[in-house]
Amino acid sequence: MSKKSFYILILSTVFSLSSCEKFLDKTDPTATDFVEFFSTEADILRVVYSSYLDVFSNTANSVAVRANFFYMEEGKSDNAYSRMSGDHHQPIANGNLNSNTTAVYYYYNLHMKHLGRINTFIANIDVPYVEDELIRQKYKGILEALRCWHYFKLTSRYANVPFFLEPADLETALQPAKSKEEILETLFPLAEQVANGLPDDAYTTNAYMFNKYSFKALIMRYALYNKDYQRAARLAKEIMDSKKYELYANYENLFNYTGHRANKEYIMTFNKESHPSAATFSFTNLAPQSKTGSGQAYLVPLKALVDSYWTLQGRPIDDCPLHTKEEYELNPKLNRDPRFKASIISNGDSFNGEVIDIYDPNSTYYYEKARAGKSGYWFKKFVDPADYSRASGDLDFGVIRYAEVLLTYAEAKIMQNDIDALAKDCINQIRRRAGLDMANADVTLSDFTSYSQQQWIELIRNERRVEFAGEGLRYDDILRWRIAQEVMNKPALGHTKLVNGRLESLKIEDRTFQANNYVWPFHENSLKVEPGLTQNPGY
């Protein structure tokens, strides 16, 4: 390629990243320049709204949209299996991750596209006419928060990436990528500054958009992910002290139409306002096929998740004097943490008037059928029978819940080996709401006084796993805890039964995870057009 051709290619790439994509966004088909397109308060709102699409909300029930649902992220982890490779989760989970993997190109381009357009709009935020300057500042803050979110995600996956806080030009586009450490050093204080400038309360309309505390909750999450435990604990405590949120009394109903709008637990919400179709598709994506129901079981739980539910008394299933581990494996509902029944549908359960029998070839739930999901389990969260006979619904989702604030505080204090009374109370609040037997599960009891830091770590990690099962957090957890090589280098298994005196589990696929997979590769196409990128080690 000639130098001239190379620069033309770079320029076209920069334009694609930094353009306002006006032909996709504008409502005025006669607008011919940026000022005409971006000139009113309504234009600002439309830009903010469109900036949430793809990465946060859906526009239709399609593969491209389904791949980005937060709960589908479970399919990258040992919690679940994503049955459609085109959703991008399956190839990552089974170890097929290299510089030609479509998924790494898809996600990188998705984030960079939005970052380019967001930088352009922030740089021009003073152009549109508004009657109230507070409105301009609010929407500017939301765009700045979204920009931070993209960079948090990018650095979590790719580490060192291009970092721009203004529209890119040819000169800046040719600069080397910045290190993850350098980016986060700028990003965390910047993000907190942005959060402090946002309104305190959720909005009456467009409630999904960032406010002060919803964005602080997101910063808290990534502070924990990046081992900034002091910041994570401080932000969690600030959110607790705001008294704006609380645990919803009924764990199961939090994820269906009974409690989805009647709770004060959802901090960052994804609702029907956030996308033009005014519908959500969690039933279609997660539910069993059933007779005429719309369930497609695109994502299903695995045995590893099922076995991770401790007992009603708060003990691991291999450390309980009441029953053997084999008994627990054969009957997941036996003396189990109530969050299992609230979160997962299993063999023998009734679903819309039918008893599930995954081993009956004549049953719609037969495990070998295309939409059975292969594991013999299904997620119950976000699956409400009211959506059974329709393709879509209007369920609200809590992308960040108050439960995460409590468990973040507890984990951050545990990792600092500073397990104070509040950290223990946070764990107890979660366990009590879940319905555990607090005569044994209360972590202030004498049984826990001799716990080592490592035992507390094991406890809090499992508490996160079962509390947030099916909510898209597990993959980031196994990466940041550096346990992915341990938990992902195993076959993906499903339902277990006794055959000729031996335990046999349904096998779905083999999986592998290499040491270099903690960071994703850049796609070959990205390396060709962005000379500032350097391929991550091992790819």
Side-chain angles (χ1 to χ4, degrees), residues 70-118:
F70 69 101
Y71 51 74
M72 292 296 292
E73 287 285 328
E74 293 286 272
K76 293 183 173 76
S77 77
D78 56 333
N79 271 4
Y81 170 71
S82 172
R83 71 177 179 87
M84 302 297 289
S85 61
D87 285 351
H88 304 302
H89 312 293
Q90 186 190 117
I92 293 170
N94 63 30
N96 186 20
L97 189 63
N98 56 58
S99 60
N100 289 307
T101 303
T102 302
V104 301
Y105 190 57
Y106 169 80
Y107 287 114
Y108 182 77
N109 283 354
L110 184 70
H111 293 303
M112 294 304 291
K113 175 189 75 172
H114 278 277
L115 281 167
R117 70 191 300 279
I118 287 171

Side-chain angles (χ1 to χ4, degrees), residues 23-85:
F23 294 107
L24 293 177
D25 293 334
K26 70 182 183 182
T27 54
D28 178 6
T30 66
T32 58
D33 60 31
F34 186 84
V35 174
E36 287 185 74
F37 159 70
F38 193 53
S39 61
T40 68
E41 182 179 314
D43 291 334
I44 300 178
L45 176 58
R46 175 169 42 80
V47 162
V48 173
Y49 172 80
S50 66
S51 296
Y52 274 92
L53 298 179
D54 294 335
V55 290
F56 185 65
S57 58
N58 65 323
T59 56
N61 186 23
S62 66
V63 173
V65 169
R66 185 176 62 244
N68 289 320
F69 283 136
F70 69 101
Y71 51 74
M72 292 296 292
E73 287 285 328
E74 293 286 272
K76 293 183 173 76
S77 77
D78 56 333
N79 271 4
Y81 170 71
S82 172
R83 71 177 179 87
M84 302 297 289
S85 61

Side-chain angles (χ1 to χ4, degrees), residues 2 15 38 47 116 123 166 177 199 220 233 238 318 320 330 332 373 389 418 420 435 509 515 537:
S2 69
F15 178 78
F38 193 53
V47 162
E166 62 284 315
M220 173 203 73
E238 185 176 338
D318 58 358
C320 176
L330 290 172
S389 60
D418 180 23
D420 59 15
E509 66 176 2

Side-chain angles (χ1 to χ4, degrees), residues 52 54-57 67-70 73 76 107-108 110-112 115 145-159 161 180 183-184 187 210 218 221-222 225-226 268 399 472 475-476 479 520:
Y52 274 92
D54 294 335
V55 290
F56 185 65
S57 58
N68 289 320
F69 283 136
F70 69 101
E73 287 285 328
K76 293 183 173 76
Y107 287 114
Y108 182 77
L110 184 70
H111 293 303
M112 294 304 291
L115 281 167
L146 282 167
R147 177 169 63 186
C148 292
W149 191 15
H150 283 288
Y151 278 123
F152 282 138
K153 285 193 168 190
L154 275 171
T155 54
S156 292
R157 296 288 178 261
Y158 303 92
V161 296
K180 176 179 180 178
I183 293 171
L184 293 180
L187 206 58
F210 282 123
L218 188 76
R221 174 185 285 183
Y222 282 96
Y225 285 4
N226 287 284
M268 185 174 168
V399 179
Y475 182 65
D476 282 295
L479 293 186
W520 288 2

Side-chain angles (χ1 to χ4, degrees), residues 261-298:
R261 291 177 191 154
N263 72 83
K264 292 183 179 179
E265 183 164 346
Y266 288 2
I267 299 177
M268 185 174 168
T269 302
F270 160 21
N271 60 19
K272 69 177 185 178
E273 284 185 308
S274 61
H275 51 88
S277 68
T280 49
F281 298 95
S282 55
F283 190 99
T284 298
N285 294 337
L286 301 174
Q289 178 180 354
S290 194
K291 291 177 180 176
T292 57
S294 59
Q296 295 282 337
Y298 288 117

Side-chain angles (χ1 to χ4, degrees), residues 144-359:
E144 289 173 331
L146 282 167
R147 177 169 63 186
C148 292
W149 191 15
H150 283 288
Y151 278 123
F152 282 138
K153 285 193 168 190
L154 275 171
T155 54
S156 292
R157 296 288 178 261
Y158 303 92
N160 307 334
V161 296
F163 183 58
F164 305 116
L165 296 177
E166 62 284 315
D169 57 24
L170 178 58
E171 181 178 353
T172 54
L174 293 173
Q175 297 301 309
K178 282 189 168 57
S179 71
K180 176 179 180 178
E181 293 72 22
E182 186 178 0
I183 293 171
L184 293 180
E185 186 178 347
T186 299
L187 206 58
F188 276 119
L190 175 63
E192 287 200 58
Q193 180 182 347
V194 170
N196 286 327
L198 289 168
D200 285 6
D201 298 313
Y203 315 116
T204 304
T205 58
N206 301 320
Y208 64 93
M209 292 186 181
F210 282 123
N211 59 60
K212 177 180 179 178
Y213 289 105
S214 66
F215 188 43
K216 286 200 171 187
L218 188 76
I219 302 167
M220 173 203 73
R221 174 185 285 183
Y222 282 96
L224 185 72
Y225 285 4
N226 287 284
K227 298 179 171 55
D228 189 346
Y229 299 123
Q230 287 187 341
R231 189 187 306 271
R234 172 173 55 79
L235 289 170
K237 181 69 161 53
E238 185 176 338
I239 296 167
M240 285 188 269
D241 288 345
S242 75
K243 306 296 184 183
K244 293 181 179 294
Y245 309 99
E246 61 187 38
L247 293 180
Y248 185 64
N250 187 298
Y251 181 80
E252 180 175 350
N253 287 342
L254 184 62
F255 308 103
N256 59 40
Y257 287 120
T258 302
H260 75 135
R261 291 177 191 154
N263 72 83
K264 292 183 179 179
E265 183 164 346
Y266 288 2
I267 299 177
M268 185 174 168
T269 302
F270 160 21
N271 60 19
K272 69 177 185 178
E273 284 185 308
S274 61
H275 51 88
S277 68
T280 49
F281 298 95
S282 55
F283 190 99
T284 298
N285 294 337
L286 301 174
Q289 178 180 354
S290 194
K291 291 177 180 176
T292 57
S294 59
Q296 295 282 337
Y298 288 117
L299 182 80
V300 292
L302 293 174
K303 171 180 165 59
L305 172 60
V306 171
D307 290 348
S308 74
Y309 284 89
W310 287 5
T311 67
L312 183 64
Q313 296 75 31
R315 305 185 185 102
I317 62 172
D318 58 358
D319 185 28
C320 176
L322 300 178
H323 302 279
T324 65
K325 183 181 180 183
E326 180 176 301
E327 287 178 299
Y328 282 123
E329 287 187 84
L330 290 172
N331 184 2
K333 292 186 280 289
L334 176 66
N335 187 42
R336 214 55 159 249
D337 184 324
R339 284 172 290 191
F340 173 81
K341 184 179 179 182
S343 304
I344 293 177
I345 300 167
S346 59
N347 195 46
D349 287 348
S350 293
F351 186 72
N352 285 299
E354 299 176 80
V355 176
I356 295 175
D357 184 351
I358 65 170
Y359 297 109

